[in-house]
Amino acid sequence: TQLLEQSPQFLSIQEGENLTVYCNSSSVFSSLQWYRQEPGEGPVLLVTVVTGGEVKKLKRLTFQFGDARKDSSLHITAAQPGDTGLYLCAGRRAGGTSYGKLTFGQGTILTVHP
Amino acid sequence: DAMVIQNPRYQVTQFGKPVTLSCSQTLNHNVMYWYQQKSSQAPKLLFHYYDKDFNNEADTPDNFQSRRPNTSFCFLDIRSPGLGDAAMYLCATSNTRIPTDTQYFGPGTRLTVL
């Protein structure tokens, strides 16, 4: 059972377009992190969100954490070819036997064409 | 400045020949993780160290072992690599295991098994 459903799995757009990637779960997360990964490299942290309803902006990237802390979205405005990569959402849960293990979504492969 | 360093970046080994991958960190974090990532998939946690306490994931094969001789270094040993073990191996660290704490990834080691 996939705890974090990330969509879409693939996204191919033209430079200048906007896009949104979604990360959804039926579980509550204490925090959620977004990473971007280029081929042959490790994931690079973009943002961590911890508060329900939180919105964070990083230049053209806007991250939202749902009020109930079960979902998150990443919105990119005016995408550029340099945004191309694998985007991963990953959440950490509290309670039970979980020690805050990072649970990853399936990832979104974004390709931005010039 | 690099915070999580992995060596080598690329490793080629032969089927069945033991191999060791290295990770070091300058963050003085208590927790170090090893993940396996196959092409265009999300990272899969193999195990982690919380200080000197080793925590194995239930589905990690016995073929994979780890050592953490001190706070800064952690090693991944693959005792008898098979073709299915070819992957990117990622090391990550976090200061604590509390769910709001961020994990930072290294650049990865790409393992090829011939």
Side-chain angles (χ1 to χ4, degrees):
Chain A
T1 304
Q2 184 69 34
L3 283 175
L4 264 176
E5 296 288 339
Q6 190 173 340
S7 63
Q9 196 173 350
F10 301 94
L11 200 50
S12 180
I13 61 172
Q14 293 297 125
E15 183 174 2
E17 292 184 9
N18 302 331
L19 67 111
T20 302
V21 178
Y22 299 93
C23 202
N24 296 299
S25 176
S26 56
S27 300
V28 176
F29 289 93
S30 295
S31 70
L32 200 135
Q33 296 162 187
W34 285 92
Y35 294 90
R36 177 171 166 268
Q37 187 177 19
E38 295 193 27
E41 299 292 330
V44 175
L45 179 71
L46 296 174
V47 78
T48 300
V49 285
V50 298
T51 305
E54 184 175 4
V55 177
K56 283 192 173 179
K57 290 195 173 187
L58 187 67
K59 295 184 180 177
R60 294 176 293 101
L61 278 61
T62 302
F63 304 86
Q64 275 194 299
F65 200 16
D67 291 341
R69 291 184 289 134
K70 292 182 179 181
D71 55 88
S72 182
S73 65
L74 157 61
H75 182 78
I76 301 180
T77 304
Q80 299 176 359
D83 295 328
T84 293
L86 173 66
Y87 288 81
L88 293 160
C89 65
R92 298 185 81 173
R93 293 188 299 159
T97 58
S98 170
Y99 51 77
K101 178 179 174 179
L102 202 60
T103 300
F104 281 90
Q106 303 98 316
T108 296
I109 298 174
L110 171 65
T111 305
V112 183
H113 302 279
Chain B
D1 292 336
M3 297 183 292
V4 183
I5 303 156
Q6 290 189 245
N7 286 304
R9 293 295 312 277
Y10 300 92
Q11 177 73 56
V12 180
T13 190
Q14 292 181 335
F15 183 94
K17 185 175 180 181
V19 67
T20 295
L21 309 183
S22 169
C23 177
S24 63
Q25 51 125 344
T26 60
L27 298 161
N28 203 34
H29 280 174
N30 291 306
V31 194
M32 295 187 77
Y33 309 81
W34 279 105
Y35 289 85
Q36 179 193 65
Q37 186 180 28
K38 298 198 174 178
S39 183
S40 299
Q41 295 181 20
K44 178 180 179 295
L45 182 65
L46 296 173
F47 27 59
H48 78 276
Y49 271 96
Y50 179 61
D51 196 11
K52 296 180 181 178
D53 183 27
F54 178 72
N55 297 268
N56 200 26
E57 292 299 298
D59 57 354
T60 297
D62 292 340
N63 199 26
F64 293 88
Q65 304 285 319
S66 186
R67 296 169 284 135
R68 189 179 187 188
N70 54 53
T71 301
S72 301
F73 284 87
C74 195
F75 300 99
L76 170 62
D77 300 308
I78 309 176
R79 293 193 295 189
S80 182
L83 298 179
D85 296 328
M88 174 77 88
Y89 289 88
L90 296 164
C91 175
T93 74
S94 63
N95 191 29
T96 71
R97 294 193 301 190
I98 63 172
T100 53
D101 211 359
T102 297
Q103 281 190 29
Y104 297 92
F105 283 83
T109 294
R110 168 73 63 189
L111 178 67
T112 300
V113 182
L114 300 177

